[in-house]
Amino acid sequence: MERRNNEEVLVTSSLLVDQENATNYYHCIVPGGVDGGSSSVTAAVIFSTVVVVCGTFNTGCAAGYSSPAESGIVEDLGLSVAEYSVFGSLWTAGGIVGALISGRTADLIGRRGTMWFADIFCIMGWLLIAFAKDYWWLDFGRLATGFGVGLISYVEAVYISEIAPMNIRGGFTSASSLMMCCGFSMIFFVGTVISWRTLAIIGAVPCVLQAIGLFFVPESPRWLAKVGREKELEASLWRLRGERADITQEAADIITGSICFTGVYKTFLQFPKATILDLFQRRYAHSLIVGVGLMVLTQFSGVTAISCFTSSILESADFSTTFGSRAIAILQIPVMVVSVVLIDKSGRRPLLMVSAAGMGLSSLLIGFSFLMQDMNQLKEVTPIVVLIGLLTYSATYSLGMAGLPWLIMAEIYPINIKGVAGSLVTFSNWFFSWVVTYTFNYMNILLYSIISGSTVLFTAKLVPETKGRKLEEIQASMTHFLH
């Protein structure tokens, strides 16, 4: 498709700017009501998504590895508690570094290139762990794996949201969170019956499968538009939508960005290269607050800390750590399946608010149980109440807060700032994950309940509903482009 043809489509297109009093959203109306963003799912979209979620399956494997491997590693290599603690924490350190460059890397070498780059580090990291001779091998392997996961945590959500039709975009993007839960559960259960070295080799398998599969999936059409490769964009859309699909309007929308603000259109190439300082312009304030705010609130709701210290919480309640941990791991998967099914039917905002409210009530229940235990009241029911609280917390987190912040992050940022914004949002998630985990022993679980309640209000007031809307429409509605 030639650029001049695209411009002719835009010139002849009718434009209606509908400014609503409450939301100030703007919608582009195209001739004949053609919707370039909604189409039936194709085999190419399914296969591309499967390939990408291999990376998040690896993320779950990496997150769950240190728990079942601890006793074997400590015994075989003679590590001290302090040395093993360093090994466990380096995953987060690597993730923070990977998050810092994830957006820029995805903008520079493309979505597929970034996933290949991440796979190299993940495979190398797992092999270093599997064949470790001493703790230096372990530490470098864990750091490399964390770095790769930090890259993948940004690019996989962005890639899926950019290739999937808008009517199934939410469910397909959230499938990555489902696969992360599957990876975590798989590595936890398998790790109880095989050696830690074999477990590390198994952890590398999803990365290898993804690295091979990426040869057979198309690049993101929106990234191709960003770098001015319009012929390749058209070829990518043909593969994703099917040979008989009419991609004319969708291609035009992507090339122009469908940025409509009082009748002004801009193409991607007309925007200057964004820097981190550009994010703090007034026009990006809403999207920046939503993206970073959801990540920070999710972490300060205690999710990473509670996940890492589940065994300690159960032990403090005098409940079986083995049974409780396995029950939580099993419960997450069916709840995530329900979330994937509901996300494009009920919408993002309702699921986020229900999820945050459930997490808040669960934290309140857990905190109240320990408060009663400290007061020597109702001590006989504390174990079962704490288990119910943890199960409810895990289930409600999996229902919405597990994957929706990543989906919304991938949907709300215009392509010209998506790289730097994505890096900042991903860095916020990893950094505050470390902060909350580090401060867990100094925090009261009741504080997590208060923050979860604040998340409900934050979502109700600031987070837009993105269900059933084209990416370009969402981004235009949240961004105030100046004349």
Side-chain angles (χ1 to χ4, degrees):
M1 179 178 296
E2 298 297 326
R3 181 183 296 275
R4 190 165 73 182
N5 292 337
N6 293 326
E7 292 175 348
E8 290 174 358
V9 171
L10 297 175
V11 170
T12 58
S13 297
S14 61
L15 175 69
L16 173 63
V17 179
D18 179 18
Q19 183 173 6
E20 300 177 2
N21 293 331
T23 61
N24 201 31
Y25 282 179
Y26 296 88
H27 303 274
C28 295
I29 307 300
V30 297
V34 177
D35 185 356
S38 179
S39 61
S40 59
V41 64
T42 62
V45 172
I46 294 174
F47 178 75
S48 299
T49 302
V50 170
V51 169
V52 172
V53 298
C54 285
T56 52
F57 190 89
N58 166 68
T59 301
C61 293
Y65 178 78
S66 60
S67 179
E70 180 175 3
S71 59
I73 291 176
V74 170
E75 181 180 347
D76 291 351
L77 299 182
L79 268 62
S80 65
V81 174
E83 288 172 335
Y84 193 81
S85 296
V86 171
F87 168 73
S89 64
L90 282 175
W91 181 67
T92 303
I96 291 174
V97 177
L100 280 173
I101 68 168
S102 58
R104 282 296 192 189
T105 306
D107 281 351
L108 181 64
I109 63 176
R111 313 322 190 200
R112 289 197 312 162
T114 302
M115 286 185 275
W116 265 318
F117 186 52
D119 287 334
I120 292 172
F121 280 90
C122 288
I123 294 170
M124 179 178 66
W126 282 118
L127 292 179
L128 281 172
I129 294 172
F131 298 100
K133 303 295 184 183
D134 54 38
Y135 68 88
W136 286 109
W137 289 51
L138 288 173
D139 289 350
F140 279 117
R142 191 68 167 163
L143 188 66
T145 304
F147 177 77
V149 168
L151 288 171
I152 290 174
S153 59
Y154 164 76
V155 73
E156 55 84 15
V158 170
Y159 178 82
I160 297 174
S161 70
E162 289 179 346
I163 67 166
M166 70 179 184
N167 55 309
I168 58 170
R169 186 178 62 235
F172 270 54
T173 306
S174 294
S176 60
S177 297
L178 170 62
M179 292 307 295
M180 184 168 66
C181 287
C182 291
F184 183 89
S185 299
M186 186 275 291
I187 214 78
F188 182 87
F189 287 112
V190 174
T192 61
V193 296
I194 63 175
S195 72
W196 60 274
R197 294 185 186 275
T198 305
L199 192 65
I201 293 175
I202 291 175
V205 172
C207 309
V208 174
L209 292 177
Q210 183 181 63
I212 296 172
L214 286 170
F215 284 103
F216 306 100
V217 303
E219 181 56 271
S220 162
R222 287 171 172 83
W223 181 78
L224 293 171
K226 183 179 187 297
V227 296
R229 291 155 59 175
E230 296 176 17
K231 289 187 178 296
E232 293 178 52
L233 178 155
E234 185 176 358
S236 177
L237 279 178
W238 280 120
R239 290 183 62 185
L240 292 167
R241 303 293 177 252
E243 295 182 357
R244 298 183 180 181
D246 182 3
I247 63 167
T248 305
Q249 186 60 48
E250 185 173 6
D253 286 345
I254 292 173
I255 291 171
T256 63
S258 288
I259 305 300
C260 48
F261 184 80
T262 61
V264 176
Y265 276 102
K266 292 186 179 182
T267 65
F268 294 139
L269 300 180
Q270 288 176 305
F271 291 112
K273 185 176 181 180
T275 66
I276 192 69
L277 295 178
D278 292 330
L279 294 178
F280 298 95
Q281 296 179 33
R282 184 179 179 183
R283 68 180 69 177
Y284 303 130
H286 186 194
S287 56
L288 185 64
I289 290 171
V290 169
V292 175
L294 280 176
M295 291 298 182
V296 173
L297 288 169
T298 298
Q299 292 303 329
F300 276 99
S301 295
V303 58
T304 303
I306 290 177
S307 297
C308 290
F309 293 99
T310 295
S311 296
S312 299
I313 295 172
L314 290 168
E315 187 175 338
S316 298
D318 295 324
F319 194 89
S320 169
T321 57
T322 301
F323 176 83
S325 298
R326 290 181 176 180
I328 291 170
I330 293 172
L331 179 64
Q332 285 181 328
I333 297 175
V335 176
M336 281 301 309
V337 172
V338 172
S339 175
V340 169
V341 172
L342 289 179
I343 197 167
D344 284 313
K345 295 181 179 180
S346 62
R348 282 59 155 162
R349 279 163 48 91
L351 281 181
L352 273 175
M353 289 189 283
V354 169
S355 178
M359 291 167 65
L361 292 174
S362 303
S363 301
L364 184 64
L365 183 62
I366 297 169
F368 180 76
S369 298
F370 282 119
L371 181 63
M372 291 294 99
Q373 185 185 57
D374 292 340
M375 297 172 62
N376 293 317
Q377 300 290 325
L378 304 175
K379 293 183 66 174
E380 63 277 3
V381 299
T382 296
I384 190 63
V385 172
V386 168
L387 177 64
I388 292 172
L390 288 173
L391 287 171
T392 307
Y393 184 94
S394 176
T396 52
Y397 166 72
S398 299
L399 186 65
M401 295 299 288
L404 283 175
W406 294 101
L407 169 61
I408 292 171
M409 178 271 294
E411 291 178 325
I412 63 176
Y413 293 113
I415 194 72
N416 63 304
I417 65 160
K418 183 170 282 188
V420 289
S423 290
L424 179 60
V425 172
T426 308
F427 169 77
S428 299
N429 177 76
W430 280 90
F431 177 75
F432 287 106
S433 170
W434 173 79
V435 170
V436 172
T437 304
Y438 181 79
T439 60
F440 175 78
N441 290 320
Y442 309 100
M443 295 279 284
N444 190 310
I445 292 181
L446 292 173
L447 292 176
Y448 298 151
S449 180
I450 296 173
I451 296 171
S452 294
S454 301
T455 306
V456 177
L457 296 177
F458 179 87
T459 302
K461 293 293 184 181
L462 293 175
V463 178
E465 181 54 71
T466 60
K467 181 190 74 169
R469 302 171 65 194
K470 291 183 287 186
L471 291 179
E472 290 74 27
E473 178 190 339
I474 297 165
Q475 294 151 12
S477 70
M478 295 191 68
T479 310
H480 303 290
F481 284 93
L482 303 180
H483 285 56

